[in-house]
Amino acid sequence: MQDFIVVIPSRFASTRLPGKPLREIAGEPMVAHVWRRALGSAAARVVVATDDERIRTAFDGLDAEVVMTRDDHPSGTDRLAEVAEQLALPDDAVLVNVQGDEPLIPPALIDQVAMRLFDDPGASISTLAEPITEVETLFDPNAVKVVREASGRALYFSRAPIPWDRDAFAERPELLQTDAWLRHIGLYAYRAVFLAEYRDWAPSPLEQLEQLEQLRALHHGHAIQVGLAREPNPPGVDTEDDLERVRQWLRAEGEET
């Protein structure tokens, strides 16, 4: 595998779970668990990007590379663009965006999303998705859906249940053809040259409506390659209930006492 860099954007503010990156799991802040997961990937370098001194301080003694960024970025992708600039990365450098609220992220998926970008040199971004098997997930606006073309490139991302099965949903909306719907996994790989363009674009109208940063790339005609995840991706942490679920999972695995 070619070299790539993992960047973990992490900000302290969170409307649903204040101070989310520093919430404790198994004696360490959540973002430290994400960092350790990323170290288990094939990444040549793992960087934490934050605008908050409290998060930087949380990594004291862990031998982690932390980059301080501005506090006005509208998205994690914008924050990665600043990191690429600060580190003076070459245009062909590949950065993988691993969100700071994914303490159970499988390292294999980090490797997969990077390889997906290497395999499609015409794509500006690569990401992953997994089949939706429950109707509650399909109609949940917090679960982002994606539809792809035959090559695997994204046609559109939405919080709405896409594609819409006109006939089946009119009759039995509780039934799913489980191979027809995909849930997007918020893991991205980009080349530094693309990030340099992205940071200069204003948020697009569809991005603002859906609150999905990847729509900015589609708006400007850039291709997004979407692979099917090779293994399940445990949900991230958005709420207190999510946090407790992760703690319970780690206890079951013997990683928390």
Side-chain angles (χ1 to χ4, degrees):
M1 179 178 289
Q2 301 177 54
D3 284 348
F4 65 92
I5 297 170
V6 166
V7 181
I8 304 169
S10 183
R11 63 189 188 94
F12 189 83
S14 173
T15 55
R16 286 187 288 180
L17 192 60
K20 179 164 61 171
L22 300 184
R23 299 299 291 268
E24 186 176 303
I25 301 174
E28 285 192 324
M30 179 168 60
V31 67
H33 286 267
V34 181
W35 172 74
R36 292 189 188 280
R37 293 274 174 169
L39 290 178
S41 74
R45 188 175 182 181
V46 178
V47 178
V48 178
T50 185
D51 57 11
D52 196 290
E53 186 66 21
R54 289 167 290 188
I55 294 174
R56 188 202 65 76
T57 301
F59 283 94
D60 287 350
L62 290 179
D63 195 30
E65 183 177 4
V66 181
V67 172
M68 299 301 295
T69 59
R70 302 197 317 270
D71 62 2
D72 60 347
H73 291 302
S75 73
T77 303
D78 292 284
R79 197 175 304 278
L80 261 73
E82 183 186 350
V83 171
E85 182 179 24
Q86 283 199 42
L87 299 181
L89 298 177
D91 285 350
D92 61 351
V94 170
L95 296 85
V96 175
N97 180 343
V98 177
Q99 297 183 38
D101 58 4
E102 298 281 351
L104 303 179
I105 184 77
L109 296 188
I110 299 174
D111 296 340
Q112 183 185 356
V113 78
M115 184 56 68
R116 194 77 181 185
L117 188 63
F118 293 133
D119 288 345
D120 186 351
S124 297
I125 303 175
S126 66
T127 189
L128 299 176
E130 59 188 2
I132 293 174
T133 59
E134 297 179 350
V135 70
E136 292 82 4
T137 302
L138 180 61
F139 286 88
D140 181 358
N142 293 313
V144 177
K145 277 66 69 173
V146 58
V147 290
R148 309 185 301 166
E149 61 182 45
S151 70
R153 291 186 176 183
L155 292 170
Y156 191 64
F157 298 83
S158 182
R159 297 183 183 279
I162 58 171
W164 184 263
D165 191 328
R166 185 193 65 176
D167 296 330
F169 286 171
E171 298 290 334
R172 298 285 301 278
E174 74 278 9
L175 298 181
L176 290 182
Q177 300 171 17
T178 57
D179 60 348
W181 289 273
L182 295 174
R183 175 182 175 270
H184 177 230
I185 296 173
L187 186 66
Y188 302 96
Y190 334 78
R191 294 180 182 84
V193 66
F194 166 75
L195 290 171
E197 291 186 60
Y198 186 95
R199 69 185 177 195
D200 293 331
W201 298 331
S204 67
L206 289 175
E207 174 189 2
Q208 292 175 309
L209 284 173
E210 297 258 20
Q211 291 297 296
L212 297 174
E213 64 197 84
Q214 63 269 37
L215 293 178
R216 197 185 317 178
L218 292 182
H219 177 81
H220 287 276
H222 285 257
I224 301 177
Q225 180 60 240
V226 184
L228 295 180
R230 292 173 181 162
E231 61 181 85
N233 179 52
V237 175
D238 288 318
T239 66
E240 289 282 358
D241 288 343
D242 294 338
L243 187 63
E244 183 56 31
R245 173 185 45 76
V246 170
R247 289 169 174 159
Q248 290 176 0
W249 189 92
L250 290 175
R251 280 194 291 268
E253 295 294 312
E255 298 182 34
E256 183 176 19
T257 59

